[in-house]
Amino acid sequence: VTGGPDGRPPPDRSAAQATVSRTLLEGDTLVAARALLGARLVRDPGRLGGEPRSGRIVEVEAYIGREDRASHARMGPTPRNQAMFGLAGCAYVYLVYGMHHCVNVVTETPGRPAAVLIRAVEPVGGLSGMRAAREAVRPGARRVADARLAAGPGLVGLAFGLDRSMTGVDLCDPASPLRLEVAPADETPPEVVSSQRIGIAYAGEPWTSLPWRFVAIGSPSLSRQA
DNA sequence: GCAAAGATTTGCT
DNA sequence: GCAAATCTTTGCC
């Protein structure tokens, strides 16, 4: 290893885990959605404090193109959804029902709106921070099992301290405060099953029936039974 | 300018 | 099983 222009050694990134490849996310959204199962969602604490929060992605949904009547991109680019028309690998975080923040991974090429909604994560690290976030929103609420801390799209946002300011963050950059890391090399890839997307009855057919939801079979952290 | 519904979660009936 | 919480964005007047 040679030194940098200023003579100092380059920063040591050998300990950092690799992030999900942008090339993968720039391709077919259904392929990317399946591939994201098993990957890790990681949040550096920053001003939130505590240890880094991380978890294994176990449930996702695909939203593809302007023609998808269930997609936020169905009415063309707007201030809210413009991230979906941007660079693959960036985050699109939106507020739903006035209280829940949900995070998507943008896919495909700029100009064509597509994204993968992260619907559920199996907590791996930083669980105390996830519990603290929950307690801050609902003081005295019933205590849930560790596996249920991020078992739904709104809960992922809460557990990882996300809001719309995270929109545009590059999830493929190892230096980002929020990123996607590949699964440990010794981990067996999850067995995957697809089914209909949830909560999109307004879209009508054929959109409501498309099998664009993917879950890791047997995970205790799914938003509902596979 | 205003009314309506939403890629949800929770707790009570 | 059902309705409330909560506020942004969209659709129509």
Side-chain angles (χ1 to χ4, degrees):
Chain A
V1 178
T2 59
D6 58 2
R8 288 185 292 109
D12 177 15
R13 298 214 181 281
S14 59
Q17 174 65 304
T19 51
V20 169
S21 130
R22 192 186 316 280
T23 301
L24 166 72
L25 301 176
E26 286 173 330
D28 185 275
T29 300
L30 297 178
V31 172
R34 281 181 176 270
L36 282 172
L37 293 179
R40 298 297 195 270
L41 180 66
V42 180
R43 171 79 205 267
D44 285 336
R47 59 167 281 284
L48 295 175
E51 54 184 292
R53 303 179 194 179
S54 64
R56 175 176 174 255
I57 297 173
V58 293
E59 177 177 339
V60 298
E61 278 178 359
Y63 290 86
I64 310 174
R66 253 167 110 143
E67 62 276 18
D68 180 355
R69 303 307 290 175
S71 172
H72 287 173
R74 64 185 178 278
M75 66 293 277
T78 67
R80 174 171 79 150
N81 68 23
Q82 66 170 9
M84 287 186 72
F85 292 77
L87 180 66
C90 290
Y92 164 46
V93 181
Y94 66 91
L95 177 66
V96 71
Y97 292 107
M99 61 190 93
H100 302 296
H101 293 279
C102 303
V103 61
N104 292 258
V105 180
V106 175
T107 58
E108 304 201 17
T109 52
R112 173 165 162 82
V116 174
L117 170 67
I118 298 179
R119 283 194 56 93
V121 171
E122 216 171 276
V124 170
L127 276 67
S128 59
M130 295 181 187
R131 283 197 179 284
R134 174 179 284 255
E135 178 68 16
V137 173
R138 306 184 67 79
R142 188 181 79 80
R143 184 184 176 85
V144 299
D146 287 347
R148 307 304 297 173
L149 286 169
L155 297 180
V156 170
L158 177 60
F160 285 80
L162 309 180
D163 61 43
R164 286 172 294 177
S165 70
M166 281 291 178
T167 292
V169 168
D170 186 357
L171 304 174
C172 296
D173 183 346
S176 287
L178 182 69
R179 57 190 182 273
L180 292 165
E181 296 183 350
V182 299
D186 61 354
E187 185 172 291
T188 304
E191 203 175 326
V192 178
V193 67
S194 63
S195 57
Q196 293 183 182
R197 292 176 293 179
I198 293 171
I200 57 158
Y202 60 85
E205 295 295 351
W207 313 106
T208 55
S209 296
L210 296 174
W212 287 0
R213 170 180 177 240
F214 302 91
V215 308
I217 296 178
S219 170
S221 303
L222 301 180
S223 68
R224 57 181 73 177
Q225 190 60 24

